């Protein structure tokens, strides 16, 4: 990169700065990114493009594929909804209330980020199985919470909770108490203040948290497979079907399912970015 | 909103009853979904006494799995550390075209299912690929061998250090570095003596999270590993094998080691946030 042509390209690429190392750090970053992330992902897309349209749609139209996608997206959606309700309550309790052990509770919320998914998976299976501590109690009420889609939802609630809490929490901390005081002064009762004043301001953060938990839930594998029961057409998630197709050396089917999941999660990513852009415009912050 | 005799209270808090209801709901929820599973790992591990627990670690396959997990982390974490510092330096210290796009690309692995993160390497190096057989003719095995496990781990832990450092270094600006350079420091000196001390806690924070994920990764590694006992089994994969063999005590014993790692990670993470909150930067919460 010593030629003047290369230098002039760089000058157009970036604004001048006295700080050295731009070429080295950006060059290394791009090379590493390309080798580790971009080429392998491009390989997936290329492989999927080499399937004919008919083959591709035949795989996706397969009853088992459709059911697996339904199970993955359906359970992730329900789990994200559960997490929105309880995640907002947990965040509220941590932000607003003083109680002994508050900091510990706050730290515990990150447990799903730190605990390996396989460990979470066998622990949840042991607890919620019909002979487990929680499963026995639920059995009395005739609820089966493991080895069916309910079990998948339980695992995804575990995995998704911190996404909602950690997205909503910082925004809650920034709420100006004057807004609440004004609402109270104007005669709103506490419930009205929460519903009409506080929640609308939190809505973008809650939506982002929902989307993050949902996106994570759709792709989750380790924590789910132990508690799901993995019954085809009933409690078989899409990532597991990819693994099964790979083990059958049916790379085409694995690739097609992966591609459709990838496409859907990029749509999710786009939606999250749009929510954040919208929220920045409307509320002056990005959730 | 009780209709019972009302006492004066702050208009910006909930009624005591509502407050207790919310707190109870939150605690029960966290207990049921987070604390109970964590406790279950240790209780199941010691169900048949500490003798059985420690016997699980006498198994050479278990020891091999622990060694492999450490080896993978020792390779993957430093590589992502170097990348994270380089990427954060380029993105935070300079203005250039396509910066936002690059930042998005760095976060990409977080939105890819772990299974797909493994699958991409199977397609790249597997039997039907161009690269795999070619490398094999030189005696280099990637798939169902340690290099594949390392690659898949690097993929899933790729963003951790970078996404900690980028907001932190952006917040710190370029003033300190410019001062050092104008006083005659070289680029490397500026980095070692000015930038690195400024970012060390944020860096440690990122490395901590990166390491936890590297040692605990299951889905991606499971796809590329081939599950060869004593050779390509990491600790999380070994947990699965033991569990599927109904060897629950051993499965939970190995799992408890991983859970202990998670607890240590959480404690160090909380301590870092407590003592160096400002030096870890705002953008850290996931």
């Amino acid at each position: 990169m010593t030629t003047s042509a290369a230098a002039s390209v760089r000058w157009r690429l970036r604004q001048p700065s006295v700080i050295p190392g731009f070429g080295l750090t950006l060059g290394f970053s791009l090379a590493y990114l390309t080798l580790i992330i971009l080429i392998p992902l491009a390989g997936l897309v290329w492989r999927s493009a080499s399937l004919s349209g008919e083959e591709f749609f035949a795989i996706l139209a397969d009853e088992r594929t459709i059911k697996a996608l339904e199970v993955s997206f359906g359970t992730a959606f329900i789990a994200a909804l559960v997490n929105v309700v309880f995640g907002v309550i947990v965040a509220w309790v941590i932000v607003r209330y003083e109680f002994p052990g508050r900091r510990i509770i706050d730290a515990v919320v990150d447990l799903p980020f730190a605990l390996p998914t396989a460990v979470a998976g066998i622990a949840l299976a042991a607890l919620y199985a019909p002979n487990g501590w929680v499963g026995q109690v639920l059995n009395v009420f005739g609820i089966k919470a493991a080895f069916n889609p309910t079990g998948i939802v339980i695992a995804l609630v575990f995995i998704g909770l911190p996404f909602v809490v950690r997205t909503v929490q910082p925004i809650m901390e920034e709420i100006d108490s004057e807004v609440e005081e004004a609402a109270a002064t104007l005669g709103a009762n506490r419930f009205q203040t929460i519903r009409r004043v506080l929640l609308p301001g939190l809505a973008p953060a809650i939506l982002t948290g929902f989307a993050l938990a949902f996106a994570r839930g759709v792709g989750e594998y380790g924590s789910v497979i132990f508690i799901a029961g993995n019954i085809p057409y009933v409690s078989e998630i899409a990532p597991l079907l990819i693994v099964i197709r790979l083990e059958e050396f049916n790379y085409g089917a694995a690739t097609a399912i992966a591609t459709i999941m990838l496409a859907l999660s990029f749509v999710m990513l786009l939606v999250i970015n749009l929510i954040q852009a919208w929220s920045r415009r409307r509320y002056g912050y990005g959730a | 909103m009780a209709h019972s005799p009302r006492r004066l209270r702050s208009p910006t808090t909930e009624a005591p009853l509502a407050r207790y209801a919310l707190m109870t709901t939150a605690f029960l929820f966290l207990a049921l979904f987070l604390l109970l599973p964590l406790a279950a790992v240790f209780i199941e591990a010691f169900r048949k006494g500490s003798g059985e627990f420690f016997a699980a670690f006498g198994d050479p396959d278990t020891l091999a799995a622990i060694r492999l997990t450490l080896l993978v982390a020792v390779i993957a974490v430093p590589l992502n550390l170097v990348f994270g510092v380089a990427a954060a330096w380029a993105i935070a210290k300079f203005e250039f075209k396509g910066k936002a796009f690059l930042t998005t690309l760095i976060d990409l692995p977080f939105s890819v299912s772990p299974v797909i993160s493994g699958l991409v390497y199977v397609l790249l190096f597997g039997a039907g690929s161009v690269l795999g057989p070619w490398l094999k003719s030189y005696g280099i095995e990637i798939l169902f061998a340690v290099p594949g496990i390392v690659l898949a781990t690097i993929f899933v832990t790729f963003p951790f250090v970078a996404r900690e450092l980028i907001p932190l270094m952006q917040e710190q600006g370029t003033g300190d570095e410019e001062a050092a350079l104008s006083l005659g420091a070289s680029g490397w000196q500026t980095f070692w003596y000015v930038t690195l001390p400024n970012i060390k806690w944020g860096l440690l924070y990122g490395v901590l999270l990166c390491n936890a994920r590297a040692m605990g990764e299951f889905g991606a590694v499971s796809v590329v590993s081939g599950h060869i006992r004593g050779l390509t089994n990491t600790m999380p994969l070994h947990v699965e094998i033991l569990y599927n063999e109904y060897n629950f005590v051993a499965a939970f014993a190995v799992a408890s080691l991983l859970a202990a790692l998670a607890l240590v990670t959480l404690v160090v993470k909380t301590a870092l946030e407590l003592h160096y909150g400002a030096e870890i930067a705002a953008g850290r919460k996931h």
Side-chain angles (χ1 to χ4, degrees):
Chain A
M1 294 288 262
T2 48
T3 64
S4 61
S8 74
V9 167
R10 272 202 288 159
W11 281 119
R12 268 188 282 121
L13 262 174
R14 70 170 171 109
Q15 289 169 15
S17 161
V18 296
I19 296 180
F22 179 72
L24 176 71
T25 54
L26 187 69
F28 174 76
S29 302
L30 287 179
Y32 191 71
L33 178 79
T34 308
L35 280 177
I36 299 288
I37 309 291
L38 298 184
I39 290 178
L41 278 180
L44 175 74
V45 175
W46 183 76
R47 191 69 167 244
S48 144
S50 69
L51 292 170
S52 76
E54 271 170 49
E55 281 175 299
F56 191 83
F57 287 108
I59 293 160
L60 294 186
D62 176 41
E63 179 75 10
R64 194 166 166 191
T65 311
I66 292 173
K67 280 287 176 206
L69 287 169
E70 268 177 24
V71 168
S72 274
F73 281 84
T75 52
F77 188 83
I78 296 168
L81 277 184
V82 173
N83 273 330
V84 158
V85 174
F86 289 97
V88 169
I89 292 176
V90 168
W92 184 261
V93 167
I94 292 173
V95 171
R96 285 306 179 98
Y97 301 156
E98 279 298 331
F99 53 89
R102 196 177 66 101
R103 198 160 275 290
I104 295 174
I105 294 288
D106 190 19
V108 161
V109 169
D110 276 336
L111 182 71
F113 282 150
L115 195 69
T117 53
V119 177
I122 63 168
L124 289 169
L127 276 181
Y128 288 87
N131 59 353
W133 305 339
V134 182
Q136 281 174 354
V137 178
L138 292 174
N139 252 350
V140 176
F141 301 100
I143 302 168
K144 224 177 145 268
F147 314 126
N148 59 13
T150 312
I152 304 177
V153 172
I154 289 171
L156 295 183
V157 167
F158 173 89
I159 287 298
L161 180 73
F163 289 93
V164 176
V165 176
R166 293 306 183 220
T167 321
V168 175
Q169 196 178 4
I171 310 299
M172 255 181 201
E173 279 164 358
E174 277 170 26
I175 293 175
D176 194 344
S177 61
E178 280 177 18
V179 189
E180 292 167 73
E181 282 160 19
T185 316
L186 292 168
N189 65 33
R190 189 61 190 154
F191 180 71
Q192 286 170 325
T193 308
I194 290 175
R195 206 177 75 84
R196 308 236 170 177
V197 180
L198 297 181
L199 277 182
L202 290 173
I206 294 175
L207 264 175
T208 306
F210 173 86
L212 288 172
F214 178 60
R216 172 68 200 263
V218 167
E220 180 55 25
Y221 176 70
S223 62
V224 172
I225 54 165
F226 296 99
I227 196 173
N230 306 327
I231 309 154
Y233 305 101
V234 178
S235 62
E236 184 177 67
I237 54 168
L240 177 65
L241 191 57
I242 294 178
V243 172
I244 291 173
R245 295 302 184 222
L246 269 180
E247 280 167 0
E248 295 166 353
F249 297 102
N250 190 347
Y251 287 9
T255 308
I257 302 167
T259 307
I260 195 79
M261 284 188 69
L262 214 53
L264 290 168
S265 55
F266 285 149
V267 171
M268 293 291 310
L269 206 65
L270 193 70
V271 170
I272 294 170
N273 283 332
L274 287 177
I275 294 170
Q276 287 178 336
W278 168 73
S279 133
R280 257 194 297 277
R281 273 202 311 278
R282 195 166 188 288
Y283 298 98
Y285 68 81
Chain B
M1 293 297 116
H3 291 286
S4 50
R6 268 196 173 191
R7 290 222 314 260
L8 280 178
R9 59 179 176 80
S10 160
T12 52
T13 56
E14 290 77 51
L17 197 65
R19 197 156 62 217
Y20 290 130
L22 284 176
M23 282 172 72
T24 312
T25 309
F27 294 155
L28 274 179
F29 182 79
L30 291 176
L32 207 59
F33 281 93
L34 302 190
L35 294 177
L36 225 48
L38 182 65
V41 174
F42 292 100
I43 291 169
E44 293 288 333
F46 285 101
R47 171 156 282 190
K48 289 179 181 158
S50 55
E52 288 267 325
F53 174 84
F54 288 111
F57 296 102
D59 178 5
D61 288 342
T62 303
L63 295 177
I66 295 174
R67 267 198 301 273
L68 181 59
T69 291
L70 292 175
L71 174 71
V72 169
V74 162
I75 302 171
V77 175
L79 281 172
N80 281 338
L81 164 75
V82 172
F83 162 74
V85 173
W89 182 272
I91 288 172
K93 304 290 180 193
F94 300 93
E95 290 302 325
F96 58 92
K97 281 179 189 163
K99 194 158 110 168
F101 183 60
L102 178 60
T103 315
T104 310
L105 281 184
I106 290 174
D107 267 348
L108 200 60
F110 276 161
S111 45
V112 175
S113 167
V115 167
I116 298 177
S117 311
L119 169 71
V120 293
Y121 289 108
V122 174
L123 296 180
L124 205 60
F125 296 112
S129 69
V130 183
L131 268 176
W134 181 74
L135 285 171
K136 203 167 188 170
S137 67
Y138 289 94
I140 303 170
E141 298 266 6
I142 304 280
L143 212 56
F144 311 132
V146 176
I149 297 174
V150 172
L151 279 173
T153 305
I154 292 176
F155 188 105
V156 290
T157 59
F158 187 84
F160 278 100
V161 178
R163 67 164 10 215
E164 266 339 296
L165 289 185
I166 291 169
L168 174 65
M169 285 168 71
Q170 273 174 334
E171 212 173 74
Q172 290 174 344
T174 55
D176 288 2
E177 283 79 11
E178 279 160 4
L181 290 163
S182 71
L183 291 170
S186 73
W188 283 110
Q189 282 173 327
T190 307
F191 174 73
W192 280 110
Y193 297 112
V194 177
T195 310
L196 201 57
N198 278 342
I199 61 168
K200 61 173 185 266
W201 297 116
L203 191 64
L204 184 60
Y205 192 90
V207 167
L208 188 73
L209 299 182
C210 184
N211 180 65
R213 181 70 192 266
M215 289 192 173
E217 177 52 26
F218 179 74
V221 168
S222 165
V223 171
V224 297
S225 128
H227 306 274
I228 307 162
R229 273 181 172 231
L231 282 180
T232 64
N233 249 353
T234 61
M235 281 167 80
L237 298 181
H238 197 55
V239 168
E240 183 199 21
I241 288 189
L242 292 170
Y243 186 86
N244 286 342
E245 286 173 347
Y246 302 101
N247 192 349
F248 292 133
V249 169
F252 279 101
V254 179
S256 73
L257 211 56
L258 288 167
L261 169 79
L263 285 178
V264 170
T265 303
L266 280 188
V267 169
V268 177
K269 176 176 169 295
T270 309
L272 281 177
E273 285 167 4
L274 217 60
H275 294 288
Y276 306 103
E279 293 162 72
I280 301 176
R284 75 170 181 279
K285 298 285 188 194
H286 292 259

